[in-house]
Amino acid sequence: TNLRYDDHAEWDLSKLWGCTLDEMFIRIFKYYNSPEFAKVIPVDGSQKALKELSKKHSLHLITSRPFSIEKESHKWLNTFFPAVFNSTHHTNQISEEGFGKGTKKSVLCKQIHADLMIDDHIENVLDCADYEIKTMLFPAPWNRNYTTNHPFIQKISSWEDVSKSLI
């Protein structure tokens, strides 16, 4: 593809790619099963920030990824974030069955008694904030134009911002 990260102004990749939802899921799962998926590197500053945060906070990872790639996800996390997360939860919201059929992140946040949720998808952030879970909206091209006065949403610009706020 000729698309760059900054071109992803839509979270819904079917709109960005000009394809059906079914084709979008085929492409996503083809990517999950490709060698490129295993080569993804962490976001700048995330390793340092999360390692420091894990010394003072209990960290739990909640991802929209499908159950079918849990093994690959754990391998990646153990490579880049060893001993950082107390638990890992896949919501299965992006799965072979389609989008949004899994557990909402807000449900898992409530189950694990999360004090804070950091995410780059505005719908996850809004859902958690509506349940009075503090959230940090991580910057991404698909949410760069989002503005809010919501008392439970804080926009951040980097992992350094997260560290400064919580350490």
Side-chain angles (χ1 to χ4, degrees):
T1 180
N2 293 328
L3 293 172
R4 296 169 303 135
Y5 175 74
D6 285 339
D7 294 331
H8 289 76
E10 283 284 340
W11 195 85
D12 181 346
L13 295 175
S14 67
K15 292 177 183 175
L16 180 69
W17 295 338
C19 64
T20 65
L21 285 174
D22 288 341
E23 177 62 24
M24 178 190 77
F25 284 107
I26 290 169
R27 291 180 188 185
I28 288 171
F29 281 90
K30 186 176 179 181
Y31 172 68
Y32 284 159
N33 293 306
S34 73
E36 288 77 23
F37 182 64
K39 295 176 187 174
V40 172
I41 58 171
V43 173
D44 285 343
S46 61
Q47 289 171 293
K48 180 181 177 187
L50 289 168
K51 185 176 181 179
E52 289 300 311
L53 287 169
S54 72
K55 293 175 183 175
K56 296 184 178 189
H57 301 276
S58 177
L59 303 182
H60 302 269
L61 181 99
I62 301 174
T63 177
S64 297
R65 289 180 173 185
F67 299 140
S68 62
I69 63 165
E70 280 181 299
K71 182 179 175 183
E72 293 84 352
S73 296
H74 287 289
K75 183 179 177 182
W76 187 88
L77 287 168
N78 288 331
T79 299
F80 293 106
F81 299 94
V84 167
F85 296 103
N86 294 72
S87 67
T88 305
H89 308 270
H90 285 64
T91 66
N92 208 42
Q93 285 182 304
I94 300 172
S95 70
E96 294 87 342
E97 291 84 41
F99 177 73
K101 307 229 189 262
T103 305
K104 286 186 169 189
K105 288 187 177 183
S106 62
V107 171
L108 288 170
C109 284
K110 289 186 286 184
Q111 286 176 358
I112 63 172
H113 306 287
D115 297 319
L116 172 71
M117 202 267 298
I118 303 167
D119 207 298
D120 66 354
H121 183 39
I122 190 60
E123 288 185 26
N124 291 329
V125 169
L126 286 169
D127 182 48
C128 287
D130 286 345
Y131 284 101
E132 298 185 353
I133 298 167
K134 293 178 195 169
T135 62
M136 289 184 172
L137 179 62
F138 204 82
W142 47 88
N143 68 36
R144 70 177 140 229
N145 295 324
Y146 181 77
T147 58
T148 183
N149 295 352
H150 199 296
F152 287 92
I153 299 174
Q154 176 185 350
K155 285 186 84 169
I156 54 173
S157 60
S158 67
W159 278 104
E160 187 177 346
D161 285 354
V162 174
S163 291
K164 287 178 183 176
S165 294
L166 301 176
I167 294 179

